[in-house]
Amino acid sequence: MRHDYIDRYARLDSPVHRLPAPLKLALALALVISTVVVPFSAFLYFVACALFLFSVILLARLPISFVAIRLLTLEPLAAGVAILAVMQPDGLFVLIRILVKTNLCLLTMVLLANTTPFAGILDVLRSLRVPPLLITVLALMYRYVFLLIDQSERMTRARKSRTFVPRRGSRWKSAAGIVGQLFVRSTERAERIYAAMTARGWR
Amino acid sequence: MHIPDGFLDLKTAVATGVLSTAAVGISLRRLNGSLPRRKVPLMGLAGAFVFAAQMVNFPVAGGTSGHLMGGVLAAVLLGPAAGVVVITSVLIVQCLLFADGGIVALGANVFNMGVIGSAGGYAIYRGVRLLFRNERGRYLAVVLAAWGSTVLAAACCAGELAWSGIVPWRSAFPAMTNVHMLIAIGEAVISALAFSAIAAARPDIVAEEPRSAPVHEGKDLLLYGALITIGVVLFISPFASRWPDGLEAVAAKLGFESAAVTRPLVASPLEGYTIPGLGSPVAATVIAGLAGTCIVFTGGFFLARVLTRRGRNEA
Amino acid sequence: MNMLEVNDLSYSYPDGKPALRGVSMHAAEGECVGIVGPNGAGKSTLLLHLNGILPEDDSRHGKVVVCGDRITSANLHEVHRMVGLLFQDPDDQLFCPTVQEDVAFGPAQFGSPAGEIDRIVRESLAQVGLEGFERRSPHHLSGGEKQRVCLAGILACNPSILVLDEPTSDLDPRGRRELTRLIRGLPATRVIASHDLELVVDLCSRVYLLDGGEVVASGPAVEILSDEELMLAHGLEKPHSLQHRHPHP
């Protein structure tokens, strides 16, 4: 399986996709910040925000099921925090508040990520004078992350097919083996990339 | 430990953002002066590596699984400044490409996982290395650095959430730290095993410890240390001083108990219950903590497990 | 005139293992030269020397002459421009997030004026038959497309010599056919190292057979590659298209 599907929606064609990346990034940031800042009593804001984001999904022609799944797969931390939040006075209210805010923010970022190619975001960061080294690292990372995920999945599968009695100890060892091997391969690829960059005049 | 948007309020986001920007700025400046050109591609690949490594699962307990954070591994293999930049890049890509971890919360995530998880871990690593200079000391240092930095990062994370007023400190702190004391064992063991796997396959990579020039090293660690201390003071200590345990016992003895806590900042739900024989506030805190730990463990991980599995199959 | 000349080149890996022993070869202007040999023969190492990537130090003896000038640390940048190197794995070579940036990388490094670069990228992509691929990401391309983008990235630097390392190893038959056609049509001097002996027979006029870091045979491609005994002795096979030919009629 190849993991390049992860950002497949970023290259769809729709009115939203065609908007310039700087505009979308600024809008998303503004929306997230205001969602964080606006007090929960201003209920209308959140309704309006949700309606706006929902219409963006439709305009961008993103499958609703895909967006819904992205919203449901919150981190374990988020789930844990939600439960902890209930354990205080007015806990339920706090829970509803953070669930609404978090989901709106997450929806905003999911929409940004799936309507804007990462290269466009990098261009924005570049024009914002983010240090070049950080940009280079981000660009290389984006380029090679899919490759490495594929590689690690192949290794995991190969290990699984050779393991018959998976005990915890051996599974930790095999996970560490995969991580170690991944690093060695990344290093070797980095050396070859350096050669390729030099060959095309990088100095 | 990726904090999503909507969890932190603006003051916490700004405070963590300032600290993280400072740390990343220091790291980039140090790298600009000292990173050989041939190592630049390695930085990008190391970012992709950490990302991919975070997707490798290992079983923790009761059918749940954890994954590596990789901050200490990156810092030990590439040096502290590179570690901070690599982890920061990972978090930026996760945020902007996968909407994993918030953008307003980016500062907090960089602070917890990049600054504490990588530079803080590296500081522990160097400290242990000073005491144990042989080859075994290296593994011990990796283990302690990974464990310690993960737990401290979790504690800071709890502090940030409590400071934002969304979780009560009394249950969040023990829950977060207890859970991560267990998860951190995984982080520590996997980091050390991965390090030994790398040493076996390519001894040349680990032969030389990646350190900034001796002139800079002390200064760098001092700067990172200062930033982490500010963070800990900001996020943890305001609660710690009101936390009814050792500190308060001291206060009671000295006779100004009543002044210390007039009103609990946030009450624990279990506090109102009087459990026979365990009626004291200390016990209530402990029970609240344990309950929080269990709930987070079972509820959170189970939920995440079910959801991620479904998400992965359908995505 | 010889565009490329290697005289008595020896090189050892950092661990001291010898990789090349007294290799000499040359390529005339516009010529297409093949380098064949089993795995570990030193083909890739030799190619890296042709572009000056491997350092000139104690581990290296002999000289490499490009367009009449010996490669030294002083003219390295110029050598990188004149000798385009296509690596075996296109993923190593496509290191930018978009095709546009990747093809533009060389021209930008070699100081092409900013206004020219877009045009150069467009033309180079057209040359390899990938018009309109500018905004695509390398990780969404097929193996054949990747290899052609790599080639475009090199052609964009306008090199006089092209050095290709296993250009067809990851390609399906169609990708291979397209790339072969492309390489044949290029005017530059070409050096191709490959296990794909059909490709070598098809494109190259002369070959060098490398084994153990030494040139064990050299001469017209058809003659060397149809010598069944020689091929088998060095871990290769006589290509099918030469099955009915004999080296010494």
Side-chain angles (χ1 to χ4, degrees):
Chain A
M1 187 172 69
R2 285 175 53 183
H3 283 83
D4 50 11
Y5 67 82
I6 291 173
D7 69 338
R8 69 196 146 159
Y9 292 122
R11 292 163 301 115
L12 289 179
D13 187 43
S14 82
V16 184
H17 286 81
R18 280 193 292 268
L19 288 177
L23 178 71
K24 277 184 278 188
L25 194 61
L27 200 64
L29 197 62
L31 213 54
V32 169
I33 292 176
S34 58
T35 305
V36 169
V37 175
V38 169
F40 198 55
S41 50
F43 197 71
L44 269 182
Y45 167 82
F46 295 96
V47 175
C49 191
L51 283 176
F52 172 72
L53 290 173
F54 195 72
S55 53
V56 173
I57 302 178
L58 295 179
L59 259 175
R61 304 194 191 116
L62 294 174
I64 304 264
S65 59
F66 165 78
V67 178
I69 286 168
R70 283 298 291 113
L71 286 187
L72 282 175
T73 45
L74 272 175
E75 275 260 312
L77 176 85
V81 165
I83 294 158
L84 282 177
V86 187
M87 300 171 65
Q88 56 186 325
D90 302 328
L92 210 58
F93 174 74
V94 176
L95 178 68
I96 292 171
R97 192 187 75 197
I98 60 171
L99 280 184
V100 168
K101 287 194 172 194
T102 301
N103 276 302
L104 286 177
C105 293
L106 191 61
L107 186 54
T108 313
M109 293 309 287
V110 168
L111 287 178
L112 175 70
N114 288 289
T115 59
T116 318
F118 195 70
I121 292 178
L122 281 178
D123 285 339
V124 178
L125 295 182
R126 210 169 278 139
S127 63
L128 289 176
R129 314 238 161 223
V130 170
L133 179 61
L134 192 58
I135 301 272
T136 308
V137 174
L138 287 174
L140 280 168
M141 204 191 136
Y142 168 69
R143 170 66 184 89
Y144 288 102
V145 73
F146 303 100
L147 222 79
L148 259 76
I149 295 174
D150 288 348
Q151 225 166 37
S152 108
E153 189 140 284
R154 279 202 299 277
M155 284 190 262
T156 313
R157 215 179 304 131
R159 295 239 172 185
K160 262 193 194 143
S161 68
R162 281 182 280 128
T163 316
F164 300 106
V165 197
R167 277 171 309 150
R168 186 179 306 157
S170 71
R171 283 184 56 190
W172 279 28
K173 229 182 178 157
S174 95
I178 290 169
V179 170
Q181 215 178 340
L182 263 182
F183 184 79
V184 171
R185 292 197 187 181
S186 319
T187 315
E188 285 164 0
R189 192 178 284 280
E191 284 158 6
R192 295 196 301 270
I193 292 168
Y194 174 71
M197 291 172 93
T198 315
R200 279 200 279 161
W202 193 56
R203 59 174 177 182
Chain B
M1 217 188 291
H2 293 61
I3 304 177
D5 281 326
F7 276 34
L8 300 181
D9 61 6
L10 208 59
K11 72 169 182 313
T12 316
V14 169
T16 48
V18 168
L19 290 175
S20 298
T21 311
V24 174
I26 293 167
S27 309
L28 282 171
R29 174 171 286 224
R30 177 60 70 232
L31 288 174
N32 273 337
S34 67
L35 188 74
R37 280 186 80 71
R38 58 176 304 114
K39 293 277 183 201
V40 172
L42 180 58
M43 298 272 295
L45 267 285
F49 154 74
V50 170
F51 199 119
Q54 289 191 351
M55 293 175 86
V56 178
N57 287 311
F58 55 85
V60 180
T64 63
S65 59
H67 68 76
L68 200 67
M69 289 203 297
V72 166
L73 204 54
V76 169
L77 290 166
L78 308 167
V84 172
V85 172
V86 164
I87 300 295
T88 303
S89 310
V90 171
L91 290 166
I92 293 176
V93 170
Q94 281 171 340
C95 167
L96 291 178
L97 188 61
F98 301 90
D100 193 2
I103 192 164
V104 169
L106 188 61
N109 288 328
V110 168
F111 185 77
N112 299 341
M113 284 179 269
V115 184
I116 296 182
S118 206
Y122 186 82
I124 300 176
Y125 172 82
R126 285 242 60 87
V128 177
R129 285 296 276 153
L130 285 180
L131 296 174
F132 303 94
R133 286 162 197 273
N134 56 4
E135 199 49 34
R136 275 194 181 172
R138 225 166 152 183
Y139 290 99
L140 180 70
V142 171
V143 165
L144 291 179
W147 192 85
S149 65
T150 306
V151 173
L152 185 60
C156 257
C157 181
E160 289 150 12
L161 294 173
W163 206 30
S164 299
I166 65 158
V167 289
W169 168 256
R170 256 182 208 201
S171 50
F173 177 75
M176 278 296 281
T177 42
N178 288 0
V179 168
H180 281 89
M181 276 177 188
L182 286 177
I183 291 179
I185 296 175
E187 176 86 19
V189 172
I190 303 276
S191 294
L193 286 176
F195 187 78
S196 93
I198 294 165
R202 284 282 301 266
D204 56 307
I205 298 180
V206 297
E208 161 189 15
E209 299 205 22
R211 301 167 56 172
S212 18
V215 206
H216 298 314
E217 174 149 71
K219 199 172 127 198
D220 284 0
L221 288 183
L222 215 65
L223 280 171
Y224 291 131
L227 290 171
I228 292 174
T229 312
I230 296 173
V232 170
V233 166
L234 222 55
F235 309 133
I236 297 185
S237 68
F239 304 105
S241 63
R242 276 173 241 173
W243 206 34
D245 63 350
L247 273 180
E248 217 162 274
V250 174
K253 265 188 192 149
L254 293 174
F256 48 87
E257 183 185 23
S258 55
V261 185
T262 44
R263 186 180 67 89
L265 190 74
V266 268
S268 154
L270 294 175
E271 203 179 41
Y273 304 150
T274 43
I275 300 157
L278 289 170
S280 73
V282 178
T285 308
V286 170
I287 290 173
L290 283 178
T293 310
C294 294
I295 292 170
V296 169
F297 232 141
T298 48
F301 272 75
F302 185 67
L303 198 64
R305 201 174 143 82
V306 172
L307 289 178
T308 47
R309 178 160 298 170
R310 238 182 63 206
R312 244 177 230 157
N313 290 346
E314 288 176 27
Chain C
M1 178 190 127
N2 279 341
M3 290 296 280
L4 186 69
E5 239 180 87
V6 177
N7 282 326
D8 198 22
L9 181 71
S10 297
Y11 176 77
S12 309
Y13 291 122
D15 62 5
K17 212 178 89 205
L20 297 175
R21 309 170 210 239
V23 171
S24 294
M25 63 163 287
H26 69 270
E29 188 163 0
E31 197 183 12
C32 188
V33 176
I35 296 175
V36 297
N39 281 337
K43 299 187 298 283
S44 295
T45 313
L46 175 61
L47 296 195
L48 289 178
H49 278 289
L50 301 184
N51 179 278
I53 295 233
L54 290 173
E56 192 175 23
D57 56 21
D58 295 346
S59 57
R60 171 178 158 181
H61 300 282
K63 61 179 181 178
V64 181
V65 179
V66 173
C67 299
D69 290 319
R70 182 180 174 171
I71 299 182
T72 60
S73 47
N75 65 3
L76 217 48
H77 196 61
E78 185 56 19
V79 168
H80 290 329
R81 200 195 61 70
M82 287 191 295
V83 184
L85 185 51
L86 186 79
F87 287 76
Q88 186 171 349
D89 183 350
D91 280 324
D92 294 341
Q93 193 155 358
L94 294 176
F95 43 74
C96 296
T98 62
V99 168
Q100 158 87 27
E101 286 171 72
D102 210 280
V103 179
F105 185 86
Q109 296 299 318
F110 293 121
S112 296
E116 288 277 283
I117 289 180
D118 279 354
R119 184 185 57 78
I120 294 174
V121 171
R122 217 171 35 248
E123 285 174 5
S124 308
L125 282 174
Q127 211 175 341
V128 299
L130 294 178
E131 293 94 342
F133 269 57
E134 281 89 344
R135 300 306 299 166
R136 299 279 289 271
S137 299
H139 63 271
H140 293 299
L141 302 178
S142 73
E145 288 166 343
K146 280 184 194 173
Q147 197 63 289
R148 276 147 74 193
V149 174
C150 288
L151 194 57
I154 292 163
L155 295 177
C157 306
N158 196 20
S160 359
I161 303 165
L162 267 175
V163 177
L164 315 169
D165 191 358
E166 295 286 1
T168 54
S169 63
D170 276 344
L171 303 186
D172 57 12
R174 181 177 43 185
R176 181 180 172 280
R177 203 165 54 237
E178 283 165 354
L179 194 75
T180 313
R181 189 178 50 78
L182 256 168
I183 296 173
R184 196 201 316 276
L186 296 172
T189 305
R190 286 142 293 169
V191 177
I192 303 174
S194 186
H195 284 310
D196 184 350
L197 298 185
E198 298 289 355
L199 175 86
V200 175
V201 174
D202 206 6
L203 291 177
C204 303
S205 50
R206 280 190 309 118
V207 295
Y208 291 86
L209 173 56
L210 218 63
D211 197 358
E214 284 175 295
V215 175
V216 289
S218 67
V222 174
E223 194 172 299
I224 301 280
L225 298 181
S226 57
D227 187 338
E228 194 146 16
E229 232 170 89
L230 181 70
M231 290 286 99
L232 287 175
H234 296 286
L236 301 172
E237 266 175 7
K238 186 173 168 180
H240 278 289
S241 55
L242 298 182
Q243 245 1 299
H244 302 295
R245 292 184 72 138
H246 298 284
H248 309 294

